[in-house]
Amino acid sequence: MTLQASGSMTGAQIRSELRQTGGSLVFPSSTTRYLSDRPSGSIILPTHFYGKTAVKRTHLEVVSSGGTTYTFGVNLGIDFPGRRIVICVAATSPDVSGILNRTAGTLAGASLGVGPGGAWFNPGVNVNMGILIDAPGGVGGTSATFSMSYDRSINHLSCVVYSVANIPNSFHSNSNGGQPLTSTSTTINVDTNGVVIAHAIKADSTDVNLSGVNEDIDFDLGSSGVRVGVGFQNRMSAQTGRSIGMTGSGASNACELAVVSFGS
C-alpha cells in the first residue's frame, strides 16, 4: 500500500505511511524529503506525496569476479530519523564440494543483523541468499561501504538495498526452499501497519514471479543462470500466516525464498 495517487491528504495519512505515532511534520525536512523523493527544492502538499511509499529501493549491485569477500559502495538515499536499511544479498560459487556459507556482512564497518535465508548446492550450482538488517538508528549518511564475506570463493553476487521508515528491532521471518524445485512458498506473521520484504532465487531460470507481495525487481545474477526476485508490501494489517510464494521458469533446480516482516 502507498499513499493515494490523487485527492486530498492529511498529515495523519503521511504519518501512518511513515509509521509515526504522532508529532509534527515539517515541509521540508529530511523525513518529508525522503517520503516525497525531493532531496532539494520546495515540497508541495499533497502533490509531491501522491503514490509515495516509505519503503524505497536505493541501490542494486551485481558483481562478477572471484574471491571470498566483496566490498563496494552502496547508495542509502536520503538520511532521516528512524531510517533503517534492509539488504537482500545472493551469491553463487563454482566450488560445489560443500554448502556455501556467509561468514560476515557489514555496512559502514558495523555488523548487520542476520535475517532469514538459505543455501543449496548440487554438481551444477552452489547458491546462498538471505536478508540482512542494520540496527535501529544505525548507519547514517547517503552512502556507505557494504562488505560481504563467504567461506569459499564466489563468482557472482547481488545486493539490493532498501531504506525503510521506522521499523522496530523485532521482526518475524521465515524461509523455504530446496531442490529440485520450480517453486516454493512460506508463511509470515504480520503486525499492525507492517511491511513485508521477500527475496527469492531460482537456478536455471529466466524469471522469478512473487506472490503475496508486490514484485519490485527481477534480474539475472550475473551469468550464473540464477534469477533473483525481490518484492515488498507496505502498511499491511495484522495477520497470521500470510502466504508468500515464488515461481521460476526452466527446469527444476535450486530454489529459495526468504521473507521478513516488521510492524509499527
Side-chain angles (χ1 to χ4, degrees):
M1 183 175 179
T2 62
L3 290 170
Q4 72 266 28
S6 62
S8 61
M9 188 180 300
T10 67
Q13 288 174 296
I14 294 174
R15 283 194 296 271
S16 178
E17 180 66 31
L18 290 164
R19 280 176 289 276
Q20 289 184 349
T21 56
S24 300
L25 291 169
V26 178
F27 305 89
S29 67
S30 58
T31 298
T32 53
R33 287 195 182 283
Y34 159 80
L35 185 57
S36 64
D37 295 321
R38 297 278 294 176
S40 62
S42 61
I43 294 179
I44 300 173
L45 182 67
T47 303
H48 288 153
F49 293 90
Y50 285 150
K52 294 306 189 327
T53 178
V55 183
K56 300 183 186 293
R57 174 165 46 91
T58 62
H59 193 90
L60 167 65
E61 189 92 11
V62 181
V63 288
S64 299
S65 63
T68 57
T69 299
Y70 282 31
T71 301
F72 48 86
V74 295
N75 180 21
L76 303 180
I78 296 171
D79 193 3
F80 65 97
R83 181 185 75 177
R84 292 187 68 185
I85 303 299
V86 179
I87 301 177
C88 298
V89 62
T92 64
S93 174
D95 181 352
V96 292
S97 61
I99 293 175
L100 174 65
N101 296 298
R102 289 170 283 161
T103 57
T106 64
L107 187 65
S111 295
L112 292 164
V114 177
W120 294 95
F121 78 106
N122 62 30
V125 66
N126 198 353
V127 297
N128 181 290
M129 60 87 74
I131 300 176
L132 305 174
I133 308 148
D134 82 337
V139 177
T142 59
S143 63
T145 298
F146 173 71
S147 183
M148 197 73 216
S149 297
Y150 295 86
D151 64 351
R152 63 193 67 228
S153 182
I154 59 174
N155 53 358
H156 303 285
L157 180 141
S158 67
C159 168
V160 184
V161 181
Y162 287 96
S163 171
V164 190
N166 296 304
I167 51 176
N169 191 42
S170 60
F171 58 87
H172 302 286
S173 67
N174 215 339
S175 61
N176 198 18
Q179 59 182 16
L181 294 173
T182 58
S183 64
T184 190
S185 64
T186 189
T187 60
I188 189 80
N189 294 337
V190 184
D191 296 328
T192 301
N193 202 6
V195 54
V196 173
I197 296 176
H199 181 206
I201 60 172
K202 165 68 170 65
D204 189 19
S205 186
T206 57
D207 62 13
V208 168
N209 297 304
L210 293 169
S211 60
V213 294
N214 293 322
E215 187 167 310
D216 177 48
I217 191 168
D218 180 1
F219 59 92
D220 288 324
L221 180 49
S223 59
S224 64
V226 173
R227 191 77 175 178
V228 177
V230 186
F232 65 86
Q233 193 86 7
N234 192 32
R235 294 179 66 195
M236 300 175 67
S237 59
Q239 53 192 287
T240 300
R242 181 180 179 86
S243 179
I244 309 293
M246 63 84 65
T247 302
S249 64
S252 295
N253 209 319
C255 188
E256 183 76 19
L257 173 68
V259 186
V260 63
S261 76
F262 304 88
S264 57

